[in-house]
Amino acid sequence: MSKTDWIQQEIDALKSQGLYNNIRTISSPQGAWLTVDGKKVLNFCSNNYLGLANHPALVAAAKKSLDEMGVGPAAVRTIAGTMSLHVELEKRLAQFKGVEAAITFQSGFTANLATIPVLVGKEDVIFSDRLNHASIIDGARLSGAKIIPYEHNDVKSLEEQIKANLSQYRRALIVTDGVFSMDGDIAPLPDIYDVAKKYDILLMVDDAHGEGVLGKGGRGIVDHFGLHGKVDVEVGTMSKAFGVVGGIVAGKAVIIDWLRQRGRPFLFSSAVTVPDAAACLAAVDVLEDSTQLVDKLWENAKYFKAEMKTLGFNTGVSETPITPVMLGEAPLAQQFSRELFEAGVFAMALGFPTVPQGKARIRVMISASHSKDDLNKGLEAFKTVGKKLGVI
Ligand SMILES: *Cc1c(COP(=O)(O)O)cnc(C)c1O
């Protein structure tokens, strides 16, 4: 018996349930087509919604910044690691999103870990959508506040929980994903805002999959619903549609200032590198210049989803370019993904615990970088594999 035997047993159990993560390696730039484990395949996996991950303007900006400013920030933000590019990026993001102020983090994950604990603590309560992202759950746990889940996208359930619990706590926070990444549905933010206003509760939305996707020219869920000035905190990421890396928190100036004083990932971990910040700035430029990429993304998404429905697939409740193809059990989803790969299409199978038991699926991520011909090739592969496996 060794001390790590139990770990091997757990891993073996994952394998036998079809839940083991087989991680593929990409050896080409991100784009509509990828080289994956040495094979050229159509990319239906990445969060590269707008094709910015290998956009010439971002690459050029990153290169230029390297020549002028070097690579690393070499300290945490509060000591000597705040470079002019970080400050400029925060200013531009605040303008882009139409908020008083913005602060950036290493990732969307750390943005949530920073934000929730500065807003609520041990004497407080968090009302959290049952399907919120893991980083919201971890941030909520770190805060020490009581976490009360409400039913997914169910404003009645939210209000019931508030009525039953609010009076026992000092302060409260309502937190929801903007776009839910496994199903592609959108939080009913105007109704959630009404409840937050009625009970005078802070409202936070994590718009990781809405940044660069929803709203005018990709300005996010708050813009999508016209809720400017009403949502207290918007968390976002620059690792998805922005094509780079980094987290954003945007909102009231007082909250952003408070995060600079107390946000632990800001105080105790260094910022993104020089080329990251420069590339993110270039992404803001691209988005402000034209809505063309965002428009193309939505055109592609609408076409693909309509065609998948016509083929007889169940694409769930998605309202965004995220297209789940519901299959049920995890082994079927994994087999479907393997067959697609053989047919030259790279689309991931998602199973428990990423999605609930029995709700395994293939998740197709549509991008503006796909041509109509790419989408048709993908549809053809889904049709062939779907028939072979008896799904359609
Ligand atoms: C992807 C995602 C994150 C994490 O963003 P990173 O920048 O990759 O750390 C956080 N929240 C939600 C809702 C996400 O979908």
Side-chain angles (χ1 to χ4, degrees), residues 125 127 148 161-173 199-201:
V125 60
F127 300 102
I148 299 185
Q161 293 297 351
I162 291 171
K163 275 189 186 151
N165 295 287
L166 185 63
S167 64
Q168 297 156 50
Y169 298 92
R170 181 184 61 173
R171 285 198 293 268
L173 172 71
Y199 295 92
D200 202 22
I201 297 175

Side-chain angles (χ1 to χ4, degrees), residues 107-110 112 133 135 177 179 181 206 208-209 237 239-240 246:
S107 70
F109 201 107
T110 56
N112 277 324
H133 189 263
S135 57
D177 274 23
V179 174
S181 55
D206 177 349
H209 281 276
T237 181
S239 71
K240 291 178 175 137

Side-chain angles (χ1 to χ4, degrees), residues 176 187-194 203-205 221-222 225 227 231:
T176 182
L189 207 55
D191 297 336
I192 296 176
Y193 166 71
D194 287 343
L203 174 57
M204 167 173 162
V205 61
I221 192 171
V222 169
F225 283 121
L227 291 171
V231 174

Side-chain angles (χ1 to χ4, degrees), residues 108-120 126-129 132 135-137 139-140 150 172-178 187 189 192-193 196 201-207 221-222 230-236 248-250 255 259:
F109 201 107
T110 56
N112 277 324
L113 297 193
T115 304
I116 300 175
V118 306
L119 298 176
V120 284
I126 299 168
F127 300 102
S128 175
D129 187 289
N132 274 343
S135 57
I136 295 180
I137 296 169
Y150 61 89
L173 172 71
I174 297 171
V175 58
T176 182
D177 274 23
L189 207 55
I192 296 176
Y193 166 71
I201 297 175
L202 277 171
L203 174 57
M204 167 173 162
V205 61
D206 177 349
D207 201 26
I221 192 171
V222 169
K230 293 177 171 171
V231 174
D232 300 293
V233 196
E234 247 182 293
V235 170
I248 318 166
V249 183
I255 293 176
L259 274 164

Side-chain angles (χ1 to χ4, degrees), residues 135-170:
S135 57
I136 295 180
I137 296 169
D138 286 8
R141 286 179 181 153
L142 267 179
S143 76
K146 172 76 179 172
I147 302 163
I148 299 185
Y150 61 89
E151 296 311 317
H152 174 55
N153 276 353
D154 183 340
V155 181
K156 244 182 81 193
S157 163
L158 167 64
E159 187 163 9
E160 278 164 16
Q161 293 297 351
I162 291 171
K163 275 189 186 151
N165 295 287
L166 185 63
S167 64
Q168 297 156 50
Y169 298 92
R170 181 184 61 173

Side-chain angles (χ1 to χ4, degrees), residues 371-386:
S371 68
K372 188 84 169 268
D373 187 46
D374 294 335
L375 296 177
N376 287 336
K377 285 199 172 94
L379 289 162
E380 199 52 45
F382 264 96
K383 185 175 163 188
T384 307
V385 176

Side-chain angles (χ1 to χ4, degrees), residues 31-264:
W33 291 81
L34 297 175
T35 307
V36 182
D37 295 338
K39 184 179 160 95
K40 192 175 174 215
V41 286
L42 179 62
N43 178 13
F44 272 169
C45 285
S46 304
N47 299 318
N48 186 21
Y49 287 110
L50 303 174
L52 295 182
N54 190 32
H55 189 287
L58 275 71
V59 173
K63 280 184 185 162
K64 183 163 175 280
S65 73
L66 283 165
D67 288 336
E68 289 170 1
M69 301 288 283
V71 182
V76 297
R77 292 284 302 268
T78 47
I79 295 178
T82 293
M83 304 183 79
S84 51
L85 281 170
H86 296 123
V87 176
E88 196 187 335
L89 176 60
E90 287 164 347
K91 216 178 270 169
R92 290 289 305 282
L93 285 169
Q95 281 166 9
F96 175 68
K97 296 191 63 73
V99 293
E100 288 177 12
I103 182 173
T104 56
F105 288 89
Q106 303 84 355
S107 70
F109 201 107
T110 56
N112 277 324
L113 297 193
T115 304
I116 300 175
V118 306
L119 298 176
V120 284
K122 278 196 186 68
E123 297 159 73
D124 305 323
V125 60
I126 299 168
F127 300 102
S128 175
D129 187 289
R130 201 174 271 292
L131 296 189
N132 274 343
H133 189 263
S135 57
I136 295 180
I137 296 169
D138 286 8
R141 286 179 181 153
L142 267 179
S143 76
K146 172 76 179 172
I147 302 163
I148 299 185
Y150 61 89
E151 296 311 317
H152 174 55
N153 276 353
D154 183 340
V155 181
K156 244 182 81 193
S157 163
L158 167 64
E159 187 163 9
E160 278 164 16
Q161 293 297 351
I162 291 171
K163 275 189 186 151
N165 295 287
L166 185 63
S167 64
Q168 297 156 50
Y169 298 92
R170 181 184 61 173
R171 285 198 293 268
L173 172 71
I174 297 171
V175 58
T176 182
D177 274 23
V179 174
F180 288 83
S181 55
M182 295 303 133
D183 290 294
D185 50 342
I186 302 176
L189 207 55
D191 297 336
I192 296 176
Y193 166 71
D194 287 343
V195 172
K197 187 167 177 240
K198 182 171 169 189
Y199 295 92
D200 202 22
I201 297 175
L202 277 171
L203 174 57
M204 167 173 162
V205 61
D206 177 349
D207 201 26
H209 281 276
E211 213 75 77
V213 174
L214 292 178
K216 183 174 168 286
R219 282 163 177 75
I221 192 171
V222 169
D223 187 86
H224 171 77
F225 283 121
L227 291 171
H228 295 283
K230 293 177 171 171
V231 174
D232 300 293
V233 196
E234 247 182 293
V235 170
T237 181
M238 292 172 283
S239 71
K240 291 178 175 137
F242 275 61
V244 193
V245 72
I248 318 166
V249 183
K252 300 204 162 100
V254 67
I255 293 176
I256 304 309
D257 197 19
W258 185 227
L259 274 164
R260 284 200 193 92
Q261 308 309 313
R262 285 288 180 272
R264 290 171 68 85

